[in-house]
Amino acid sequence: MHFSESDWIACCGSSKFAKEMAKVRPFKNLTKAIEMSRQIWWNQVDVPGWLEAFRAHLRIGVLSSKSTIDWCAEEQATALSSANDRALKDLAEWNQLYESKKFGFVFLVCATGKSSSEILQFLKGQITNRLLVELQVAANEQQKITKLQLSKLVSQNTAPSGDKNTSKLSLLE
Amino acid sequence: MHFSESDWIACCGSSKFAKEMAKVRPFKNLTKAIEMSRQIWWNQVDVPGWLEAFRAHLRIGVLSSKSTIDWCAEEQATALSSANDRALKDLAEWNQLYESKKFGFVFLVCATGKSSSEILQFLKGQITNRLLVELQVAANEQQKITKLQLSKLVSQNTAPSGDKNTSKLSLLE
């Protein structure tokens, strides 16, 4: 399986990130791919590139409430199963406040196992942060999301053979 | 003298900054205007707004060498008087590296009394910084430049009457 820039950009919406990942592939295994993704994200993607990655979440992960909070698709179940209309409305309102009134980029959270009320609490806790502090938090969340997306990319391209090394092969091919 | 958004944007190229300054004027004196500019810059302008302000320096302060290093016009004399072609070429090259290869925004320095070689040393020292550290440094430099530009705005609109309070009047009118 050959991964292209469009595969990498689905993991992290920065075009610089995708270009650099495409340059340095193949990877020995998923761990190496994640290590490299971390190195590229923190040391090679610049500030406009970070904002580009954050903006991609407007297109990738939009809730049915039209809020722009992003989470990995497979993680939505927990949050949505616990969400009522009021909770979704609150999330949408606080997200609007976060982006339009405070930081200028979409609220990101890697929502693994979090309920909608836990996400709302997290959002409310962040909104008083200073700009540079929150940029660091958002960049960390993006890195967590990238890690999950990379794992998904590999598992989707792994034959269900039971061979633990298949994912390694899929990256090398 | 009535100051408009275009006056404030000449002090700091963020449209949000200019809008907020226009909202809260008049100011009692220059000190109050500087205090408010600091509060707006750090607490109300967002990350895209910071980048917008940095980009404005490409248009406001470009050296004859076409380097995009910015400094206040009246501060160029010191640096340029000490600069030879080699120094200007070095500055242009390092600035290109700073913006295109590392941080994604123009190198800013409030160059009061600095020679071109001192500026080059400062630039070289910054280029190994982490992204968030350098964003903080650049935002600080922008605030210093804004402070100087505000002082200039007031002094340009002050009658040479020798009255120490004229600048206060020019802000209140």
Side-chain angles (χ1 to χ4, degrees):
Chain A
M1 181 72 197
H2 172 71
F3 294 121
S4 65
E5 278 187 32
S6 63
D7 293 309
W8 303 122
I9 215 158
C11 298
C12 171
S14 151
S15 47
K16 170 81 170 173
F17 172 86
K19 275 195 183 68
E20 294 301 321
M21 286 294 279
K23 263 190 212 170
V24 293
R25 67 167 294 280
F27 304 101
K28 273 176 71 176
N29 50 40
L30 177 61
T31 306
K32 291 288 178 194
I34 290 169
E35 267 173 28
M36 184 51 69
S37 81
R38 188 174 288 120
Q39 194 274 321
I40 290 171
W41 176 247
W42 291 112
N43 301 318
Q44 291 180 263
V45 178
D46 60 18
V47 177
W50 281 7
L51 296 181
E52 182 192 14
F54 299 162
R55 276 196 304 274
H57 291 283
L58 292 167
R59 298 186 298 272
I60 295 170
V62 180
L63 281 180
S64 54
S65 68
K66 306 298 180 199
S67 134
T68 54
I69 293 165
D70 187 82
W71 36 43
C72 309
E74 68 270 32
E75 303 304 335
Q76 289 197 26
T78 311
L80 290 179
S81 67
S82 65
N84 53 30
D85 285 350
R86 177 71 253 165
L88 288 176
K89 196 163 177 288
D90 282 350
L91 274 171
E93 280 171 8
W94 278 87
N95 187 56
Q96 168 74 6
L97 191 66
Y98 178 101
E99 184 173 4
S100 302
K101 298 289 177 193
K102 189 71 193 262
F103 299 116
F105 49 84
V106 62
F107 170 65
L108 285 189
V109 62
C110 190
T112 315
K114 290 188 181 74
S115 69
S116 58
S117 66
E118 285 169 330
I119 290 165
L120 185 60
Q121 282 314 108
F122 179 63
L123 201 170
K124 286 180 178 178
Q126 299 307 109
I127 217 153
T128 53
N129 276 347
R130 287 191 54 214
L131 208 53
L132 286 161
V133 171
E134 188 56 21
L135 189 57
Q136 169 87 56
V137 171
N140 281 337
E141 290 300 313
Q142 175 60 61
Q143 184 54 43
K144 287 185 212 166
I145 292 168
T146 303
K147 186 179 168 183
L148 279 177
Q149 297 294 92
L150 285 169
S151 308
K152 202 203 300 183
L153 180 67
V154 172
S155 66
Q156 280 172 347
N157 291 283
T158 303
S161 64
D163 178 354
K164 283 180 188 167
N165 289 318
T166 315
S167 62
K168 181 190 287 189
L169 290 173
S170 74
L171 281 163
L172 284 169
E173 277 163 17
Chain B
M1 181 72 197
H2 172 71
F3 294 121
S4 65
E5 279 188 31
S6 63
D7 292 309
W8 304 122
I9 215 157
C11 299
C12 171
S14 151
S15 47
K16 170 81 170 172
F17 172 86
K19 274 194 184 68
E20 294 301 322
M21 286 293 278
K23 263 190 213 170
V24 293
R25 67 167 294 281
F27 304 101
K28 273 176 71 175
N29 51 39
L30 177 61
T31 306
K32 291 289 178 194
I34 290 169
E35 268 173 28
M36 184 51 69
S37 81
R38 187 173 287 119
Q39 194 274 322
I40 290 171
W41 177 247
W42 292 112
N43 300 317
Q44 291 180 262
V45 179
D46 60 18
V47 177
W50 281 7
L51 296 181
E52 182 192 15
F54 299 163
R55 276 196 304 274
H57 291 283
L58 292 168
R59 298 186 298 272
I60 294 170
V62 180
L63 280 180
S64 54
S65 68
K66 306 298 180 199
S67 133
T68 54
I69 293 166
D70 187 82
W71 35 45
C72 308
E74 68 271 31
E75 303 304 335
Q76 289 197 25
T78 311
L80 290 179
S81 67
S82 65
N84 53 29
D85 285 351
R86 177 71 253 165
L88 288 176
K89 196 163 178 289
D90 282 350
L91 274 171
E93 280 171 7
W94 278 87
N95 187 56
Q96 168 74 7
L97 192 66
Y98 177 102
E99 183 173 4
S100 302
K101 297 289 177 194
K102 189 71 193 263
F103 299 115
F105 50 84
V106 62
F107 170 65
L108 286 190
V109 61
C110 190
T112 315
K114 290 189 181 74
S115 69
S116 59
S117 66
E118 284 168 330
I119 290 165
L120 185 59
Q121 282 315 107
F122 178 64
L123 201 170
K124 286 181 177 178
Q126 299 307 110
I127 217 152
T128 54
N129 276 347
R130 287 192 54 214
L131 208 53
L132 286 161
V133 172
E134 188 56 21
L135 189 57
Q136 169 87 56
V137 171
N140 280 336
E141 289 300 313
Q142 174 60 61
Q143 184 54 43
K144 286 185 213 167
I145 292 168
T146 303
K147 186 179 167 183
L148 278 177
Q149 297 294 91
L150 285 169
S151 308
K152 202 202 300 183
L153 181 66
V154 172
S155 66
Q156 280 172 348
N157 291 283
T158 302
S161 65
D163 178 355
K164 283 179 188 168
N165 289 318
T166 315
S167 62
K168 180 191 287 189
L169 290 173
S170 74
L171 281 162
L172 284 169
E173 277 162 17

